[in-house]
Amino acid sequence: MSEPSRRPRLQLILPYSQPRGALYQGGSTDGPKETRLPNYDMVAPLLADVAWDLHPGPIGPHGPGGVETREEFAIVGVQRLPIVREACESGRYDAIVMLGGGDPGFQEGREIGRRYGIPVTACANAQMHIATMLGNKFSIIDISETHNMSAYYLVVQYRFTAQCASIRNIDFPLPRPGFIDDRPLAAEQPKLQRGETSPMLEAAVTEAVAAIEEDGAEVIMLGCSAAFWLRPHLQQRLAAMGWDVPVLEGYSAAIAQAKLLTGLGVAASGLALPVDRPKKWRRKKTF
Amino acid sequence: MSEPSRRPRLQLILPYSQPRGALYQGGSTDGPKETRLPNYDMVAPLLADVAWDLHPGPIGPHGPGGVETREEFAIVGVQRLPIVREACESGRYDAIVMLGGGDPGFQEGREIGRRYGIPVTACANAQMHIATMLGNKFSIIDISETHNMSAYYLVVQYRFTAQCASIRNIDFPLPRPGFIDDRPLAAEQPKLQRGETSPMLEAAVTEAVAAIEEDGAEVIMLGCSAAFWLRPHLQQRLAAMGWDVPVLEGYSAAIAQAKLLTGLGVAASGLALPVDRPKKWRRKKTF
Amino acid sequence: MSEPSRRPRLQLILPYSQPRGALYQGGSTDGPKETRLPNYDMVAPLLADVAWDLHPGPIGPHGPGGVETREEFAIVGVQRLPIVREACESGRYDAIVMLGGGDPGFQEGREIGRRYGIPVTACANAQMHIATMLGNKFSIIDISETHNMSAYYLVVQYRFTAQCASIRNIDFPLPRPGFIDDRPLAAEQPKLQRGETSPMLEAAVTEAVAAIEEDGAEVIMLGCSAAFWLRPHLQQRLAAMGWDVPVLEGYSAAIAQAKLLTGLGVAASGLALPVDRPKKWRRKKTF
Amino acid sequence: MSEPSRRPRLQLILPYSQPRGALYQGGSTDGPKETRLPNYDMVAPLLADVAWDLHPGPIGPHGPGGVETREEFAIVGVQRLPIVREACESGRYDAIVMLGGGDPGFQEGREIGRRYGIPVTACANAQMHIATMLGNKFSIIDISETHNMSAYYLVVQYRFTAQCASIRNIDFPLPRPGFIDDRPLAAEQPKLQRGETSPMLEAAVTEAVAAIEEDGAEVIMLGCSAAFWLRPHLQQRLAAMGWDVPVLEGYSAAIAQAKLLTGLGVAASGLALPVDRPKKWRRKKTF
Amino acid sequence: MSEPSRRPRLQLILPYSQPRGALYQGGSTDGPKETRLPNYDMVAPLLADVAWDLHPGPIGPHGPGGVETREEFAIVGVQRLPIVREACESGRYDAIVMLGGGDPGFQEGREIGRRYGIPVTACANAQMHIATMLGNKFSIIDISETHNMSAYYLVVQYRFTAQCASIRNIDFPLPRPGFIDDRPLAAEQPKLQRGETSPMLEAAVTEAVAAIEEDGAEVIMLGCSAAFWLRPHLQQRLAAMGWDVPVLEGYSAAIAQAKLLTGLGVAASGLALPVDRPKKWRRKKTF
Amino acid sequence: MSEPSRRPRLQLILPYSQPRGALYQGGSTDGPKETRLPNYDMVAPLLADVAWDLHPGPIGPHGPGGVETREEFAIVGVQRLPIVREACESGRYDAIVMLGGGDPGFQEGREIGRRYGIPVTACANAQMHIATMLGNKFSIIDISETHNMSAYYLVVQYRFTAQCASIRNIDFPLPRPGFIDDRPLAAEQPKLQRGETSPMLEAAVTEAVAAIEEDGAEVIMLGCSAAFWLRPHLQQRLAAMGWDVPVLEGYSAAIAQAKLLTGLGVAASGLALPVDRPKKWRRKKTF
């Protein structure tokens, strides 16, 4: 029997770090990486046999709110690219995991990583690929009208329109200066942890059931990383109702996909993401 | 009979301006707007009944070469957004035309424009919409493997995969530091103007005919703005061969579409590009 | 600055003129063209900078009712073709606008126009093209089961099935001999003009909202020309509810598209609509 | 065992009859129906257990040439409708077979027939349905650029774009005043009957093989009725080359489909082709 | 006039025969073939002009219940293949009709039949082909969640996903050891024959109406052969409500298709179902 | 940091074992599992951190040749199911990997595995999922016309038709009694190992290049397990030509996917593969 291969080394990158005092904090900004990685316990088993680092992501210029519009996603996406390049150039990683919903900078990050032979994964992309391994159609549960449309364009871009049954909105938008939220998103997970009812979870259950019964979903995935904590709870609730439907979240999906690609030694096709002067070029491309 | 409506006011924005000494110059950087707008004579009739300004675009940080990779497009796209916003806020324009191939920043620019009720158009997007008015399928003639893949992802994103017969490569990439080009792109239009044969035009004719005969193209459009000057020449050459096929280029298409949208008083659907906290939201989205 | 181009000259053709005493009159049959063109004020700004004539269309042999079945559309369509040909041969027009819902004779009219280099547009076709410029999916509000199926086949023929969210029926059919209508279609616009509630508008609001909330429509267009008057009212009602959704109607769409095509100097691809003995032919066609 | 059912009674309708002296004659205009039906021997077994009449079709106003443009198809299609209605009203037929390539008037004829519970079939439509019973993809061999585009639009209209591998052109157009044909279409079948080589058959073999090898065709069908005589010869030639590929032609396909529908007692769905005031209507239609 | 062709000879094969004492019996296992063929009177007219035999199918190893899971379908499918081969080798049949819902063994049976030039048909496949002749979209009414998923995969495999509006479940599963059914499937047809209300028929009416009104179905077909008896009753009920929608069932559809294919003398394309060492092979296949 | 998770335990199942004296041997039938697993060295790194067993598969009744027809695949597929069930029931495995091309018994095996919460993977399915992670389109290189059509139907069944650029045939069929092969498949790998040219590899290079240049493939996968040994050689050859295209093979893909699914703790959706009497059922399913 051959020797166990070296443990793969992953660079995890958070979507963006908020300045102090921001309305929305994706996780703790201090302490060990396990503390700074939101919902670490959900992914701990997947990280147990890898070496990993956690980058806090860029400090967004978008102010104290979250990232929801296309403009905000584009800006943050571009800001993440130097982090990806630096990780590739460091020689310290076998794969890069771009955490966060909406996949800001993912395609450009993959383009960079591929030049180094390093696979790059992202949370929405990974979930969609894995969802289609499990069922005929999947639905996305996401937090707000604007974020849902970001998910919509990702489904188009990744060419999963035929497999996506629907995108369902639970209407818990990210905080935004100038708006006061009756039911702030950030209060929901603590409620559940205190044993209280979380309206956010209730909305997710309602929309997941509607996705199953009305839209044809056979797998559920989550859109915004601020909703990833729902996964085990939503899974348990659906199971209790008799619905045998896998529920995915983005961190575990993106990490698992990074491990798969590392295991196979593949990053991405050079034809899909060509360098600026490739050795070979094609006369035509078709769809 | 009613009074002629006020002439629509258009802000044209060049894709990016190169620093002095750059390898690639999209057009003159001095003089009146007619001089600074490449191939002005091709669009002069369309601009005759509008008021228009020309913005030089951002000075790209991407160095002295052109924009071809996904990363470069993303960076320039984000840099163009403040220009779009400023134009919207100025109150001086009825529509914004984002010139250039590859449409950097277009969707985000439309998102911004829509909030002001101002339509925003772009060259690849406009050509695809108009091409499908004219024939069953269109092909894109583009300049390099990398730029062709940018066009590829635009076709996916704009959902024209069923109408795009092919993307054809004529292999005249933008100049790039570190590479010496046997046949520099920038020398081609002058060759033709001197009455010489242009290999770039010859390649375009060859690929357009292949697109027609092999791929099913019924309309031809051009990808990179550095190839837009080919339009009348390619059109004439195809006609001389007996192929009655419209050839489009991006400046006229984007300007014409901006005029159409202005005439109808529409910018974009608020559901396609929602603001961060829209008045109404939908429980679900489907494809 | 170049001289303003000559004002484009448009021939507008009404779908058909009814014999005196008919049950359904699309508009006044006497007076100046502005009077004879239904809902002239909705399109007046678009016509302000063009020269235009109005042809009353053929006198349909289909009797005193409207045109709704496929047979009726086919017959009227063929009857309109000599009018198109005559307009082309006259040399007096730069574009032809075939008014009316259901686009009778449109593809054949385009075929004729193309031989003269004259673009021909039609109301459903133009609306669909423009709708996809504005949002991801559109729905059609139409007046009756039979007319809705006409719209259905147009969507198939024009290959917009992936973009059409739904066709919604408000059940105000055209008058037809032998049927007495409780709520005659022709009485609806006058009701609104008198400040009364129009059940037809109410039905359109109901179905438009259902199209948005249930079917995924991001743009609304109108099917039958007898419903085009609803446009500003439906637009206003949706806006008042908080739905930021463009509402289109056919006359302005077809006129605007005719102006766009005239501005670009293109009619249609000779490959899509070949003459009987074209100079060049293709060995194969694909989809 | 039950009694044999009454032999179904079919009304066959030729596409159109040419005036005397016309350039193109689809078949003899005199004599018994077996003589007037082109290639009768190819369909004789299928007609052996039915009762049938043959209508010569309308005398086309399109002059002494054939029908190839969209305008010509539309005109002839409308002219065939009174023949269909008369056959339905006569009570003498169980099904109507609209012979000819290009299916002029088919959808409108079906609409009429359905009101009487009488199925109506047509040659291109029937071939496409049967072709998909036999293989994954079919190609159409057709006679001219213009006729091929008619076939193209039928494939779109009948929604077989995913199953149609290609439409292949053998360039033997119908005769047309003002054009002298080097190799007149009408001379081809006689050549083969005299034991000579038919360039038309050779072209069909070449294109069928290309359709199989390059386009993915697994079944071959024929477009224009002027090419239906090729069927057994093309079938035999392909078989001799080792290609085990069914070749269809329109008369037998349309007759066989008419017998199938008659046997099942079905004509068409009332929802697909509604009467002008149907008993029930649907709020929405989707694709 | 030619002689009537010889009556085609059909081998009908029941899906499987249950051992004595089984929970579910598809029909009588004794007596003449007319008695052993369930719902014989529904297909008697179609069988009146053919010669036919009835094979009882394999005795399934799946125990005393029915066949619903994918595993059960695969096992029974393989068991049917020797019966198909024997029928082909006997030289006594012109076509083979594989009765039953779910089409177990159909593609493999077609592969066998094609080698002998003998068409093979099956109930779901035939219904789908015929349904698309009648309307734009069809829905399937089927008996249980598990059986519905079998239908689902058949729609995918036969490539009718674009034409299938929905699969609707009436929840009358086949009997299965270990489960006691409140309302056993087998009791439903007798109820109706006694003039009582059948909840199974009521559920079918409810789901068919929902398929029409909500899903866009224009034709209804039935999934499991245990539901085929519903056809005339469901047809009558829908007609009484004003819905002019054809309802199909599998036996008549598969027999009618077998007659059509026999009449045309075609079985299947050798390219779709190649023998193990075909004379000719293709370098590539595409979709 | 958490403890490393227990090493996942995989049951690998060979497609089928040949009787002694068979024409085709997939691998050694004696010795340790590493010897009996063909091309073990290609997957050794992936197996280094798992526990695994190897089952020889059923002894096929199909005689001394290989499995290529649909009938043969169906028979072997059913024969593999008791092996899958036994592995599930044993409690000794976390995932099951059904080795071999053509995926015989895969969907039924997944159905069985899912009841035990055990993921089941297969070589073609896994390659397709992974291929779409790497590029826009993939092509399959396969060994014979018949095997290629098996791959074709898998692509349809798994719904990758939009992502599969082509299936390319290198014409090295499995041995079959009654046929003598000029260039036996089994001699090819040894040739290469001896440093000779392998026509099979040369054909694979030719077809892979054609797939890239003509069909749009951006990733290459291999169909039959008898071709999996080509992977590193084909990869190296393409790279040497300048084509930066990942080449996949089935064993590593299926093992990697099994590890991914095990890591995430998911098998398959209960809605996609329902048990015979599921707790919950859906009224409708859509596509």
Side-chain angles (χ1 to χ4, degrees), chain D residues 7-14 31-34 36-37 40 47 50-57 83 86-87 90-99 255, chain E residues 1:
Chain D
R7 289 148 53 101
R9 303 161 305 164
L10 307 187
Q11 169 69 303
L12 278 55
I13 303 175
L14 286 166
K33 63 188 181 184
E34 287 82 2
R36 289 183 289 116
L37 182 63
Y40 167 69
L47 291 173
V50 301
W52 60 284
D53 288 329
L54 182 68
H55 190 286
I83 302 168
E86 189 180 11
S90 74
R92 289 190 288 121
Y93 301 108
D94 299 308
I96 293 169
V97 181
M98 297 179 79
L99 300 173
I255 292 167
Chain E
M1 188 175 180

Side-chain angles (χ1 to χ4, degrees), chain A residues 1-5 7 34 40 44-50 52 110 114 129-130 132-137 159-160 162-163 212-219 239 241-248 252-253 256-257 260-261 263-264 266-272 279-287, chain F residues 1-5 7 34 40 44-50 52 110 114 129-130 132-137 159-160 162-163 212-219 239 241-248 252-253 256-257 260-261 263-264 266-272 279-287:
Chain A
M1 188 175 178
S2 68
E3 283 302 291
S5 51
R7 290 149 51 103
E34 289 81 2
Y40 166 69
L46 277 169
L47 292 173
D49 55 1
V50 303
W52 60 284
R110 278 178 88 205
R114 201 199 60 74
H129 279 289
I130 293 167
T132 59
M133 294 176 185
L134 302 175
N136 292 289
K137 302 196 105 174
R159 303 186 80 173
F160 282 106
Q163 283 83 32
I212 292 166
E213 295 187 344
E214 297 169 28
D215 309 338
E218 298 184 345
V219 181
M241 298 167 82
W243 290 118
D244 185 0
V245 172
V247 179
L248 303 175
S252 52
Q257 191 191 17
L260 176 141
L261 295 173
L264 291 170
V266 290
S269 171
L271 297 178
K279 283 187 210 156
K280 295 281 274 190
W281 54 272
R282 295 168 283 173
R283 273 185 70 190
K284 75 170 171 180
K285 287 154 200 73
T286 50
F287 294 89
Chain F
M1 190 175 178
S2 67
E3 282 303 290
S5 51
R7 289 150 51 104
E34 289 81 2
Y40 167 69
L46 277 170
L47 292 173
D49 56 1
V50 302
W52 60 285
R110 279 178 86 205
R114 201 200 61 74
H129 279 290
I130 293 167
T132 58
M133 294 176 185
L134 302 175
N136 293 289
K137 301 196 106 175
R159 303 186 79 172
F160 282 105
Q163 284 83 31
I212 292 166
E213 295 187 344
E214 297 170 28
D215 309 338
E218 297 183 347
V219 181
M241 298 167 82
W243 290 118
D244 185 1
V245 172
V247 179
L248 302 176
S252 53
Q257 191 191 17
L260 175 140
L261 295 173
L264 290 170
V266 289
S269 172
L271 297 178
K279 282 187 211 156
K280 294 282 276 190
W281 54 271
R282 295 168 283 174
R283 271 187 70 190
K284 74 170 169 180
K285 285 152 202 74
T286 50
F287 294 90

Side-chain angles (χ1 to χ4, degrees), chain B residues 1 3 7 48 110 114 129 132-134 137 218 241 243-245 257 267 269-272 280 282 287, chain C residues 1 3 48 110 114 129 132-134 137 218 241 243-245 257 267 269-272 280 282 287:
Chain B
M1 188 176 180
E3 282 304 289
R7 288 149 53 103
R110 278 178 87 205
R114 201 200 60 74
H129 279 290
T132 58
M133 294 177 185
L134 302 176
K137 300 196 108 174
E218 297 183 347
M241 298 167 82
W243 290 118
D244 185 1
V245 172
Q257 192 191 17
S269 171
L271 297 178
K280 296 280 275 189
R282 294 167 284 171
F287 295 90
Chain C
M1 189 178 180
E3 283 301 291
R110 278 178 87 206
R114 202 200 60 74
H129 279 290
T132 58
M133 295 176 185
L134 302 175
K137 300 196 106 174
E218 298 183 348
M241 298 167 83
W243 291 117
D244 185 1
V245 173
Q257 191 191 17
S269 171
L271 297 178
K280 296 280 276 188
R282 294 168 283 172
F287 293 90

